[in-house]
Amino acid sequence: MTKVIHVHLIHGRKNYYFGSISAIYTVLTEEEVGIKKSSLLHAGLADGGVILNKKAMIRQGELIRGPRTEKEKE
């Protein structure tokens, strides 16, 4: 399965979905997220952890996809 990192900005009530922690910081700043990239990389999101601070809630999940059809396999 494909991992997805969900960033919910609390005050802006906006949701973003990223394929990696590094991708977060190509769109949002450390100030907007409320945590430095290096800290988030070591925070343990892979184990189902959630990071919650005054600015954002960050969690990692898995993208659930349906089965591939025969046409997609070609």
Side-chain angles (χ1 to χ4, degrees):
M1 290 200 191
T2 304
K3 74 176 180 176
V4 175
I5 299 172
H6 175 202
V7 177
H8 172 74
L9 297 183
I10 295 169
H11 298 293
R13 295 186 180 179
K14 290 187 176 183
N15 293 289
Y16 298 89
Y17 301 89
F18 300 96
S20 69
I21 290 172
S22 295
I24 295 170
Y25 297 96
T26 65
V27 175
L28 302 170
T29 65
E30 290 180 346
E31 185 175 293
E32 289 172 307
V33 178
I35 187 170
K36 291 183 177 188
K37 179 181 174 180
S38 60
S39 297
L40 190 54
L41 286 166
H42 294 92
L45 286 178
D47 297 328
V50 175
I51 303 299
L52 179 62
N53 60 41
K54 293 180 181 181
K55 297 187 177 189
M57 177 182 65
I58 305 161
R59 66 176 52 202
Q60 180 174 309
E62 292 186 16
L63 181 63
I64 300 170
R65 305 173 89 176
R68 292 175 58 186
T69 65
E70 287 302 316
K71 189 172 186 176
E72 291 173 329
K73 291 179 184 177
E74 294 175 355

